[in-house]
Amino acid sequence: MVTYVDDATAPLKNTGQIRLYDRAGFDAMHRAGRLAAACLDELADLIHPGIPTDEIDRFVFEFGEAHGALPATLGYRGYTKSTCTSINHVVCHGIPNDKPLREGDILNVDVTYILDGWYGDSSRMYYVGEVKRAAERLVEVTYESLMRGIAVVKPGATTGDIGHAIQSFAEAERCSVVRDFCGHGVGRLFHDTPNILHYGNPGEGVELKPGMIFTIEPMINLGKPHVKVLADGWTAVTRDRSLSAQFEHTVGVTETGCEIFTLSPRGYTCPPYPAGA
Ligand code: MF3
Ligand code: CO
Ligand code: CO
């Protein structure tokens, strides 16, 4: 049985209670979320065949620094980079390195900034040059899965409704939903209660209430859903080496639906993003 607590009166740690934020919290989350989204917008200009993911990592750090924000992943549980860069069959938590991106790769970049103590968490897919139709289809299905999950967010709905909306769509498209990672409460903490599963049944899970803030971040595979984590302790890959894609938004529940804190200032949704915008 889950209980809810006012962010204003709760200790700044995960107590297992669900924090409910006020309008000032939502406004602060719009600022943090918009900064992560603005960074993801700018990365569309940088990502090309031949650039190493370390260059993306450096951009994420410096863009944050220029706007008074710190990447939340830096030093998080021993992680030493400013972003995660997950290529092709990497499901999530890919570590930036000096290897050049190659024509035809699909890439997820996941950025979380801490701005004035608030966490804005978002990720998007990018195409490196021209990609194969199967890869493009996976990316489109994954984006649509996220947006169908967001579309059911309103008071009285449950986390199971979100998972069901995502799973039923992705599986009807002959794709699979990764079970080993989930969305999460976020706000003044990086990973908070509740977990947001990307699969499930209508009416199950936790009831959504106005003031809740969480991420939805489905990882969708072209093959089987199973993953394994490499020896570096972070990089999660599909066991069958099939392609995987992910999009992530941070949202807040309102009286009538939700607000998305991480919408693109440039209006980008799913790749390909306009060239030289
Ligand atoms: N931003 C990721 C998320 O969506 C978390 C990355 S944690 C890291 O929750 F340590 F792997 F960077
Ligand atoms: Co997240
Ligand atoms: Co993220």
Side-chain angles (χ1 to χ4, degrees), residues 40-220:
L40 294 173
D41 280 359
E42 301 242 348
L43 286 174
D45 306 337
L46 183 73
I47 292 171
H48 290 106
I51 78 141
T53 46
D54 265 344
E55 201 166 312
I56 296 169
D57 190 67
R58 186 170 345 109
F59 182 88
V60 172
F61 181 82
E62 288 173 358
F63 187 86
E65 194 177 39
H67 294 86
L70 213 58
T73 56
L74 210 50
Y76 176 77
R77 296 173 181 254
Y79 193 82
T80 61
K81 299 284 181 171
S82 297
T83 186
C84 299
T85 50
S86 303
I87 304 168
N88 295 335
H89 71 293
V90 178
V91 171
C92 64
H93 303 163
I95 304 171
N97 61 25
D98 58 7
K99 285 216 318 227
L101 290 168
R102 294 159 51 155
E103 175 92 22
D105 286 343
I106 59 169
L107 166 69
N108 174 278
V109 182
D110 191 333
V111 173
T112 309
Y113 282 131
I114 314 171
L115 183 66
D116 301 327
W118 295 84
Y119 290 75
D121 187 3
S122 187
S123 84
R124 282 184 215 158
M125 296 302 296
Y126 299 83
Y127 297 153
V128 181
E130 294 269 313
V131 312
K132 290 210 174 85
R133 181 56 201 151
E136 211 169 58
R137 194 182 75 86
L138 172 67
V139 169
E140 289 163 3
V141 167
T142 305
Y143 181 72
E144 179 69 15
S145 297
L146 168 61
M147 297 317 286
R148 285 184 181 226
I150 292 174
V152 303
V153 174
K154 63 172 185 202
T158 68
T159 55
D161 294 344
I162 299 172
H164 178 74
I166 292 167
Q167 180 182 17
S168 58
F169 176 73
E171 291 181 354
E173 294 291 331
R174 304 178 314 282
C175 296
S176 68
V177 177
V178 170
R179 307 291 206 273
D180 303 67
F181 300 96
C182 56
H184 49 92
V186 67
R188 296 204 299 145
L189 296 169
F190 191 3
H191 291 117
D192 202 356
T193 310
N195 286 334
I196 306 295
L197 306 185
H198 303 115
Y199 58 93
N201 298 307
E204 290 184 355
V206 164
E207 185 181 337
L208 306 183
K209 292 201 188 293
M212 282 176 67
I213 296 178
F214 50 84
T215 73
I216 306 177
E217 48 182 301
M219 286 139 275
I220 306 293

